[in-house]
Amino acid sequence: MSAPTDDDAVLAGLRRHARHLVAELAGPVRRVRLRSGHTALE
């Protein structure tokens, strides 16, 4: 298993933000796209 990279840390942060964002929304969510620098989560 390889050591975590900066991109892994950024991706983990994006996941946390996505979970928080979806939890705050009233209706169903079809798609969420977040980006930080070169790292993106959809």
Side-chain angles (χ1 to χ4, degrees):
M1 185 169 176
S2 62
T5 66
D6 288 341
D7 286 342
D8 292 333
V10 171
L11 189 56
L14 287 174
R15 282 190 208 110
R16 283 191 303 275
H17 287 294
R19 283 193 300 268
H20 179 75
L21 177 64
V22 170
E24 294 291 316
L25 297 173
V29 176
R30 293 185 58 154
R31 181 176 289 178
V32 174
R33 183 182 306 165
L34 300 173
R35 178 183 302 255
S36 179
H38 295 301
T39 305
L41 173 72
E42 183 171 340

